[in-house]
Amino acid sequence: MPDTFHFELVSPEKLLFSADVEMVVVPGSEGNFAIMPQHAPTLSTMRPGMLDIQISASENKRIFVRGGFADASPASLTVLAEFALPEDELDRDILKQQIKNAKEDVADAKDDQTRNRAQEHLDHLRVIEEAL
Amino acid sequence: MPSLKDLRTRIASVKATQKITKAMQMVAAAKLRRAQEAAEQARPYAERMEEVIARLGKLLEGRTGAPALVMGTGRDEKHLLIVTTADRGLCGGFNSSIVKLAREHATALMAQGKQVQFMCLGQKGYDSLKYQFQDQILDTRRLGGSKGENFTLARQVGIQLLEMLDSESFDVCTLFYSEFRSIISQIPTTQQLIPVVLPEADDESIRPRAGQAIYEYEPDEDEILNELLPRNIRVQILRAMLENGASEQGARMSAMDSATRNAGEMIDKLTLQYNRARQAIITKELIEIISGAEAV
């Protein structure tokens, strides 16, 4: 069994990450899950949170993502994030902006389902802000 | 033979034109850099999205009740062509080559007895299509140009498409735009949006998966598809607009570059003609003076 798989993280602005990695922890909307090689094909939505990338035993990287999808297959994982930023570039101002956007989403929501989802996003963002 | 004064005015007017084309070229060059960056950075996202959707489509193929956004309505009667062009001209063959592609596509479809309707993103597309297909153009939108405006427009068009699909106003939706390769090469492209074009089974880009396992969805299939599919439409439209934006500036830059060069050549030619004419007048006057002196 191969110990690595190909991982790609893209946001509408650019391709942020593309390399072979050992494990990625994805903040799925139903809870975090780790993707390792030979994962069953899965398609999941994401909540705002940290994407934890284990590149090798000694090297890892954390990237903040908000909204989007993770598409896992046995040989690869593609994360399509609406917004993504490496952890070290993340600061309060950017988070504030994100929270503002999330609030607007809640206000704009037309039906209960979308409003609930937007509200969840907002709550997650607040948690991250507190942790920072 | 034009008089000296005529030549002088012509030279002055060509010089003025040259200044304008030169300025337009420089403006296009400045805009190109930003447009090109935007287009190139948007590419990976749109491509990955297309891959995911294609794989999904492959799995959904043949299933009843598959979402119309992936599989279409299952018919092939009503076609919607989205033609993205620029709002302005003076950019070489950029607009006309996209329109030409769309027109050929439409004529071929109509020859097969299908219904064809247009949606124009960008004023120029409407201007050139209206003579032939006036009644078939549903909607025309001007482009804003800035990033935010593009995004809003893509979103609006996406919503409109979803509504039209719900009311079964079209079966197949095709997008026309110009892919940006380089400043001198922009390729008019056709992309079928709905239904999704399914990759061939032996296509290398679709990675083999053990036993064609069905996807696991989190939280559940409907919710994911409801979010993913409309977003895909938006992303593909936005990408077409960004590619177009870069192509437009590239095309304008090379068109204005050759216009400036042409004007330069013309000025040279006119100046030569002007000098010759001036010389001829001087010679004529000299001859008159000499022959007058000889006659005395």
Side-chain angles (χ1 to χ4, degrees):
Chain A
M1 186 175 129
D3 354 319
T4 59
F5 63 101
H6 194 70
F7 169 60
E8 273 179 352
L9 171 62
V10 280
S11 77
E13 283 89 36
K14 61 178 172 189
L15 180 67
L16 270 108
F17 191 96
S18 173
D20 286 339
V21 299
E22 282 185 349
M23 181 177 86
V24 178
V25 180
V26 180
S29 46
E30 309 269 274
N32 286 4
F33 56 90
I35 304 272
M36 293 177 80
Q38 299 298 316
H39 196 280
T42 306
L43 192 59
S44 169
T45 50
M46 295 192 300
R47 62 183 163 75
M50 284 294 172
L51 203 63
D52 211 330
I53 309 161
Q54 189 84 43
I55 302 166
S56 63
S58 56
E59 200 187 353
N60 75 335
K61 198 175 163 125
R62 282 156 66 87
I63 296 179
F64 171 76
V65 290
R66 187 178 80 88
F69 303 88
D71 172 40
S73 74
S76 72
L77 169 67
T78 310
V79 172
L80 298 167
E82 250 172 82
F83 175 86
L85 200 69
E87 191 190 24
D88 40 10
E89 290 173 30
L90 186 69
D91 60 34
R92 258 168 210 288
D93 290 342
I94 295 173
L95 257 183
K96 281 226 176 74
Q97 183 60 42
Q98 291 289 320
I99 288 179
K100 208 178 125 224
N101 288 350
K103 274 185 189 151
E104 278 165 15
D105 284 349
V106 175
D108 289 348
K110 286 193 193 80
D111 54 75
D112 284 345
Q113 204 194 355
T114 30
R115 190 174 306 116
N116 285 344
R117 199 181 304 126
Q119 185 63 45
E120 268 174 37
H121 271 205
L122 182 58
D123 295 342
H124 287 303
L125 281 169
R126 291 224 168 95
V127 171
I128 292 168
E129 194 192 18
E130 274 164 31
L132 203 70
Chain B
M1 179 137 181
S3 75
L4 280 185
K5 186 163 182 291
D6 288 345
L7 279 172
R8 262 201 305 270
T9 20
R10 281 215 55 198
I11 291 174
S13 90
V14 176
K15 270 188 180 153
T17 313
Q18 190 192 29
K19 272 183 197 147
I20 295 172
T21 56
K22 181 91 191 157
M24 282 183 77
Q25 186 210 335
M26 287 190 310
V27 170
K31 283 189 181 165
L32 172 71
R33 254 211 18 241
R34 279 174 49 198
Q36 187 179 353
E37 254 166 44
E40 279 170 359
Q41 285 172 345
R43 243 178 233 170
Y45 191 76
E47 278 165 9
R48 297 308 182 288
M49 189 74 116
E50 229 182 318
E51 266 174 44
V52 172
I53 299 283
R55 245 180 297 162
L56 208 59
K58 197 85 192 151
L59 294 175
L60 293 171
E61 196 181 9
R63 266 180 37 193
T64 49
L69 271 175
V70 181
M71 308 312 290
T73 52
R75 288 186 301 271
D76 180 29
E77 284 308 310
K78 289 181 251 176
H79 286 252
L80 177 71
L81 312 187
I82 303 184
V83 186
T84 58
T85 53
D87 275 340
R88 278 180 246 163
L90 285 181
C91 42
F94 170 74
N95 288 318
S96 54
S97 58
I98 297 175
V99 168
K100 190 173 150 226
L101 193 69
R103 189 180 288 138
E104 279 166 6
H105 193 85
T107 332
L109 284 172
M110 278 154 74
Q112 293 167 29
K114 317 247 191 244
Q115 282 181 45
V116 178
Q117 286 181 312
F118 291 92
M119 189 191 240
C120 303
L121 302 181
Q123 188 65 35
K124 278 284 157 184
Y126 173 75
D127 290 346
S128 354
L129 285 170
K130 69 179 172 196
Y131 300 107
Q132 207 177 342
F133 306 105
Q134 176 82 66
D135 312 330
Q136 285 152 282
I137 300 177
L138 289 178
D139 199 2
T140 307
R141 282 162 192 268
R142 292 189 73 98
L143 308 170
S146 77
K147 199 175 164 192
E149 281 168 302
N150 275 341
F151 196 79
T152 327
L153 185 59
R155 184 176 216 138
Q156 285 168 353
V157 174
I159 293 170
Q160 196 175 350
L161 280 187
L162 296 190
E163 280 166 3
M164 287 172 69
L165 192 63
D166 274 344
S167 58
E168 304 207 340
S169 314
F170 66 87
D171 302 319
V172 180
C173 173
T174 319
L175 188 61
F176 293 88
Y177 65 97
S178 187
E179 192 192 324
F180 181 80
R181 282 278 163 83
S182 71
I183 297 167
I184 44 164
S185 153
Q186 300 92 25
I187 299 147
T189 311
T190 314
Q191 184 189 6
Q192 188 174 314
L193 269 186
I194 303 169
V196 169
V197 184
L198 296 176
E200 295 302 314
D202 51 356
D203 189 340
E204 300 243 331
S205 70
I206 300 304
R207 283 150 257 177
R209 48 180 71 250
Q212 274 294 318
I214 295 296
Y215 260 102
E216 277 173 35
Y217 298 95
E218 247 194 60
D220 60 58
E221 186 173 337
D222 283 346
E223 201 166 321
I224 288 203
L225 294 181
N226 279 343
E227 217 179 303
L228 183 60
L229 302 178
R231 181 172 303 161
N232 176 50
I233 299 292
R234 275 209 303 274
V235 166
Q236 300 303 342
I237 293 173
L238 182 65
R239 178 237 200 146
M241 282 164 56
L242 291 176
E243 292 275 348
N244 245 4
S247 299
E248 180 197 347
Q249 300 304 342
R252 175 164 299 133
M253 205 177 121
S254 38
M256 286 303 117
D257 183 47
S258 47
T260 310
R261 229 172 312 137
N262 256 343
E265 274 168 30
M266 202 163 192
I267 289 171
D268 287 349
K269 233 165 50 193
L270 286 174
T271 316
L272 191 68
Q273 206 183 340
Y274 172 77
N275 286 342
R276 278 213 186 114
R278 192 172 53 99
Q279 199 62 56
I281 290 173
I282 294 171
T283 319
K284 208 174 89 195
E285 276 173 4
L286 275 179
I287 291 172
E288 274 165 11
I289 293 170
I290 294 167
S291 45
E294 267 175 7
V296 175

